[in-house]
Structures are given as structure tokens and as C-alpha cells.
Amino acid sequence: MTTAVIVSACGEVPQAKLANKTKGIVYCAEANPVSFNPQVTTTGSTIDIIANQLYNSLISIDPVTAEFKPELATQWVISDDGKKITFKLREGVQFHSTDYFTPSRTMNADDVIFSFSRLFDVYNPYHFVQDANYPYFQSVGMDQLIRKIVKIDDYTVRFELFSAESSLLSNIATDFAVILSEEYAMFRASQDKKHLFDTLPIGTGPYKYKHFLRDNLVRFHKHHGYWKHNYAVDQLVYDITTNNTTRIAKMLTKECDITSHPSATQLEALSQRQDIIVDKAVNLNVGYWAFNTEKPPFDNVLVRKSLAHSIDFDKIMQAVFYGNGIAAQSILPPSSWAFTKQAMPYYDPIKAKQYLTEAGYPDGFEMTLWAMPVSRIYNPNARKMAELIQSDLRQIGIRTRIVEYEWNTFIERIGRHEHDSVLLGWAADTPDPDNFFSPLLSCTATFTGKNPANWCNPEFDLLLTQALDTNELKMRKFYYQQAQKMLVEELPVVPIAHGVRFQARSANIAGAELRPFGGVSLANVRKGEQ
């Protein structure tokens, strides 16, 4: 790819369209949002667009110190037995006022109770609105953990749990645990239009929803009553550009102010520009190859070992990551406090063939390999990775067909476990190690369609439960060591690499720092003269 090619591709952009999009800050995004409520999705491209722009959580995690920080809750106290957490709420927090809803009050305890009870309380009028599907919370078992939430007064709530859990505060600090407006929910219910609650959002974040045109743009306007500060830009526009090359072209021709996930081959061209800054950050993530373990022959661990030993990891690191990633030595990245280096599978076609013969498939078989159509931190080019793996598998007699769909369709079909194997990944929402295990590989995650390996192992789940039942770091680390070891022995997924997060932004854009975990936040973004 060359800069000349990129610029040429942008010459066809209608100037009227360009002018309309540049009234504020334009972020070129790789996919449409699947919802405007983070409670009902774990799709990273959606969370990047909506979570930190439209909403706030009770607490957050400092990206440097990893300590909990106040957000909509100003204080919190945990009982001695760990089964009660009392939050003191911030007063005077305004919800968005839009052309479809005008709030009559500020945030209070009723909103917190409504937001969380929707996840687990079958009597909450919205519990079944999205088929009671709350993938993150269900995958970490949070919907089974909260016994009830008690309103102490208008600005104090107490979470009462069935049992103490060491990762609960981390999960409450994720981008998924946002506070919604109970008043808006009742307004939609009175209209008999509950289905609009998650598509026409009302939050407390720095921006409010204005418009969404599928495959074109998402437009947010400034929330003038934002409780934290008043320097948000007037408009924040997400230009939906699924093609990576076109996204970078728009960056070079200033149709975008910020863009996500530039590929390694594009970084050099971007870095040569004086008017563009390329940000780089270490991020807690993992790219992996998952096998549908409920489908023959992938239910046979010998087949999975054969496949794992058939791929040339070094070639993938060179051709896909271009030095901007590290080869996985566990499903956990080395920066996690629970990381333990594992005896990972390595490229050995002879050993791969031996496992295949031992499994009863000396002549190989046919299979599908699903490659996600978007570039993500953990896999900047899944198509190329799939082609490399396809070539390697051919050497041991396995005939592979690469499958691609539009991103949201892709995620839906993976959730229905239609695949044989898939190249996917995970970017952590919190620094807690459980974030790499429960949402991806627990039995609960299988039931909610968020376990791409479709793998349910009660012994593995027991290790996760034991790790969550204690606050002793030494014991938690022990259980997570066992969990990492079991994954390498069973290989429901083959961890491949941990990627580096990149974004490109115009030199006059400030406040768009990359974070080591969680979605993109443009809450503090500002635009200066250039």
C-alpha cells in the first residue's frame, strides 16, 4: 500500500458530505454499533462508540494505578463479610435532554436500582426486553451474585450479595455497568415502546444521542449539563468506514480527526505526516484461534493439538503483526499479575500429523476457518492470518475454507456456534485476570453464546469460582495458574498473540489518550487550531 493510492481513493468524497461531518470531531470507526446500551452487548466496536461517550458507571479504574475511582458514586463501603457494598451517590447529575425525552429529575438511587435489577430481576419491566440477554454480566455470573439492591435513601444504595466475590467491584467498574434512567424507562413503558429504550439512549455521559444512519454515521451532540466538565465538543461524529484502507485515506485527507486500528503497513505512511500523530499503547488483550469443541472432530483434544502444532506462529507474528505484538505464552498477557508462562504448542508439522493419525484422521478432513472482517488490537488482519493457517493446514492434509461475514452478522453467527473454528480475540475491560476467563471460557459464557469455543468444563469453572471466592492474592494467583495450565492441556482455544493498540489522530486533537483496558473514551477530547 502506498500513500498515493490512499489519497487517490479519497478524491471521490463529496465535499458537502465532508463539510457536514466535520462540525466537531470525526472518529472513523470500523463497524456499526449493534446497540446503544452497553448492558446488552460485548462487541468491542460498539462499546468503543457508545459506552464512555453516552454513559457513566458508579466507579472506574485508574489506568495507571489500577485503583478504583469515584464516578457516579462518591464513596463505597464493603462489609466485613464482603456480602454488602454500600454506595453513596453523587448528587445533581443530569441525564440527557433530547428531542425524544426531557428528564424531570437528576440521577438518584432509583436509577441505580433499575439499571442493575434489569440484569437479574425477572420482575423488572425491562428484564425480558432484549430476550433477557446480558452477555457480559451473565458470563461472569453477576446476575446470579446479586441478591437484592436496597434503597437506603435517595442517594445511598446497598448491594446485597449471595456470596462475597473478589472481582465484583472490577465488574461494576466496567464499561458495561452503566447507569440508565429509570424515569426514561417508565416513559417508554407508558408509550408501549420499550423496544426503543436501548436504541434511543438516555445517559449521563458527556455526549447525547442525535442520529444514527447505518453504514454511514453516528452523531452525538454535547451534553451541556455534563457533571464532570464543560469542554466537550459540540458534535462527535462516528464515520462508519468498514474498509481499513479507506479509513486511513480519510485520515490523510482530513475527513477524519481520529481513526482506530491502523494496520502495521499503514503506520509508516501515517508517521511521516507532520499533521498526524500515531498513538501507541500496551493493552491487555489476546488474539486466539477457537475450536467449536461441541462439533466433531473438534471435540477430540488430539485433533485440537494437531491443529495447534500445525501453524507457524513465527510467520504469523512477522506477516500479521509486523513486530507490533508479542507471541502468546498463555491466554493472559505478561503484564497481568496472574500471568504464568505455559508450555505452549509450537510449529511442528510432523507432530501435528502424528496427532491427526492418532485421532483417526490420517487423511485429514475439511473444515471452516472464520476470519473476522475488521481489524482489532489482538488481530490486525484476520484474513491474512487465516490464509497463513490455511496454507499450514494443507501440509498435513486438512482442507480449509475461509469464511467471512459483515462484522455484526459474523458475531451473531459465532454466538449461534455455526463455525468449526474462528479467529477472534478479547481486549480486557478491567485488569482483573478473571476478565480473560469467565467472559470467554466459562460454562455460563457458553450458554449465552459468548464462548466461541463452545467449551464447558466444570473443573475449569471450579478453579474460577475458587479464585473469586478469596481476596488473598497468592491463592487467586494459584488458581489462575491452574486455569492457564488446563487451557493449554485442553486447547479449546490456541492463544496466538497480544497486540499493541494504535490510533491515528490529527495533531490538533488532544485528550484522546489510549487506555490499557476498556473501550475508547472521548470524554476529554478537544480540538485546537492547526
Side-chain angles (χ1 to χ4, degrees):
M1 178 190 314
T2 66
T3 303
V5 171
I6 291 173
V7 173
S8 173
C10 270
E12 301 173 358
V13 175
Q15 290 306 304
K17 180 180 175 184
L18 175 63
N20 190 42
K21 285 184 175 179
T22 52
K23 294 177 181 177
I25 288 179
V26 179
Y27 184 104
C28 276
E30 70 274 24
N32 290 293
V34 298
S35 172
F36 284 89
N37 180 357
Q39 291 181 329
V40 300
T41 180
T42 56
T43 307
S45 52
T46 296
I47 297 300
D48 283 348
I49 292 175
I50 66 172
N52 292 289
Q53 282 54 259
L54 298 176
Y55 298 100
N56 296 110
S57 303
L58 290 177
I59 56 176
S60 64
I61 300 176
D62 188 295
V64 177
T65 65
E67 295 177 346
F68 294 111
K69 293 171 52 182
E71 294 292 338
L72 296 183
T74 57
Q75 302 173 47
W76 54 96
V77 177
I78 304 175
S79 63
D80 290 341
D81 63 3
K83 293 183 179 180
K84 295 178 182 176
I85 306 177
T86 303
F87 290 96
K88 187 69 178 175
L89 305 180
R90 189 178 301 278
E91 297 186 28
V93 175
Q94 296 183 28
F95 282 104
H96 301 154
S97 182
T98 67
D99 50 9
Y100 52 85
F101 177 69
T102 302
S104 67
R105 61 169 177 78
T106 56
M107 182 206 71
N108 63 29
D110 293 332
D111 302 307
V112 176
I113 293 171
F114 168 77
S115 300
F116 283 93
S117 70
R118 182 183 177 183
L119 309 175
F120 66 88
D121 184 357
V122 296
Y123 296 106
N124 183 300
Y126 279 77
H127 179 69
F128 292 105
V129 169
Q130 290 283 345
D131 297 326
N133 188 22
Y134 307 101
Y136 181 79
F137 301 101
Q138 291 164 337
S139 64
V140 299
M142 197 164 157
D143 58 323
Q144 303 296 318
L145 180 66
I146 301 174
R147 189 165 67 88
K148 63 179 179 179
I149 305 175
V150 179
K151 179 179 179 178
I152 307 300
D153 59 40
D154 281 350
Y155 296 99
T156 310
V157 293
R158 184 175 66 230
F159 284 54
E160 296 186 2
L161 313 178
F162 286 106
S163 61
E165 185 174 288
S166 55
S167 68
L168 178 64
L169 279 181
S170 293
N171 287 325
I172 289 178
T174 62
D175 294 336
F176 309 105
V178 297
I179 301 304
L180 309 170
S181 167
E182 182 264 355
E183 184 186 18
Y184 177 53
M186 296 309 109
F187 167 70
R188 284 299 185 197
S190 70
Q191 294 180 316
D192 198 22
K193 294 181 177 178
K194 293 180 185 175
H195 62 285
L196 295 180
F197 184 70
D198 296 325
T199 55
L200 292 175
I202 295 292
T204 60
Y207 296 96
K208 59 184 180 181
Y209 175 91
K210 183 61 180 177
H211 182 62
F212 170 41
L213 183 60
R214 186 175 177 81
D215 297 327
N216 192 330
L217 62 82
V218 180
R219 189 184 302 277
F220 296 154
H221 281 184
K222 178 179 180 176
H223 173 31
H224 288 280
Y226 184 46
W227 59 276
K228 217 171 195 178
H229 59 66
N230 190 37
Y231 54 72
V233 294
D234 287 340
Q235 291 194 37
L236 178 60
V237 176
Y238 287 88
D239 183 314
I240 308 300
T241 307
T242 56
N243 183 279
N244 192 37
T245 301
T246 307
R247 259 198 329 274
I248 300 305
K250 289 182 174 181
M251 190 73 217
L252 295 174
T253 55
K254 300 186 182 303
E255 193 174 355
C256 300
D257 295 300
I258 313 173
T259 191
S260 57
H261 310 300
S263 71
T265 56
Q266 296 163 337
L267 293 176
E268 184 178 354
L270 290 168
S271 300
Q272 290 174 354
R273 294 277 296 251
Q274 296 294 316
D275 56 347
I276 292 176
I277 294 173
V278 176
D279 296 312
K280 173 181 178 180
V282 174
N283 183 273
L284 290 168
N285 66 80
V286 62
Y288 56 77
W289 184 19
F291 308 114
N292 189 342
T293 58
E294 285 295 306
K295 257 177 129 173
F298 312 101
D299 56 346
N300 187 333
V301 68
L302 294 174
V303 170
R304 301 198 294 269
K305 287 183 176 180
S306 170
L307 295 170
H309 281 286
S310 70
I311 60 175
D312 189 336
F313 295 92
D314 290 341
K315 192 185 294 180
I316 287 175
M317 295 307 299
Q318 293 168 11
V320 177
F321 288 91
Y322 290 89
N324 293 311
I326 56 175
Q329 296 176 320
S330 166
I331 196 164
L332 290 178
S335 53
S336 170
W337 58 260
F339 166 80
T340 306
K341 184 178 179 179
Q342 302 297 309
M344 299 294 288
Y346 51 89
Y347 178 51
D348 187 339
I350 296 175
K351 186 182 285 287
K353 190 71 178 176
Q354 288 173 345
Y355 277 128
L356 201 60
T357 301
E358 192 177 344
Y361 298 93
D363 299 323
F365 50 81
E366 295 182 357
M367 64 179 285
T368 60
L369 173 55
W370 291 41
M372 58 183 192
V374 297
S375 174
R376 301 297 293 168
I377 311 166
Y378 41 75
N379 193 336
N381 192 335
R383 175 75 197 192
K384 180 180 283 187
M385 187 183 290
E387 290 172 349
L388 292 170
I389 292 175
Q390 183 184 48
S391 174
D392 289 336
L393 292 178
R394 192 179 300 123
Q395 304 305 312
I396 62 169
I398 295 178
R399 301 165 293 285
T400 311
R401 180 169 62 88
I402 298 173
V403 176
E404 292 177 300
Y405 290 101
E406 180 272 333
W407 181 223
N408 294 330
T409 303
F410 184 89
I411 291 296
E412 288 175 10
R413 299 186 76 150
I414 292 295
R416 294 197 294 266
H417 303 302
E418 296 179 8
H419 58 290
D420 291 337
S421 70
V422 59
L423 294 172
L424 263 179
W426 181 257
D429 306 290
T430 79
D432 194 295
D434 184 70
N435 199 258
F436 277 89
F437 297 108
S438 293
L440 295 180
L441 292 159
S442 65
C443 292
T444 306
T446 298
F447 305 146
T448 58
K450 296 302 175 186
N451 180 334
N454 206 7
W455 183 68
C456 175
N457 186 317
E459 293 181 12
F460 181 78
D461 271 24
L462 178 60
L463 288 171
L464 303 187
T465 301
Q466 290 171 317
L468 292 171
D469 282 347
T470 177
N471 286 315
E472 290 186 34
L473 202 63
K474 183 177 178 181
M475 290 305 299
R476 292 195 73 197
K477 188 169 184 177
F478 169 78
Y479 292 124
Y480 288 133
Q481 286 174 342
Q482 301 307 307
Q484 291 170 78
K485 183 180 178 185
M486 182 179 290
L487 286 180
V488 173
E489 291 171 350
E490 294 293 321
L491 287 174
V493 301
V494 180
I496 294 176
H498 310 288
V500 176
R501 187 167 203 162
F502 291 98
Q503 81 175 3
R505 60 182 166 91
S506 297
N508 62 336
I509 297 295
E513 292 82 9
L514 294 174
R515 305 191 302 173
F517 50 81
V520 171
S521 175
L522 299 180
N524 299 318
V525 71
R526 298 178 298 281
K527 189 174 188 178
E529 296 296 327
Q530 189 172 44

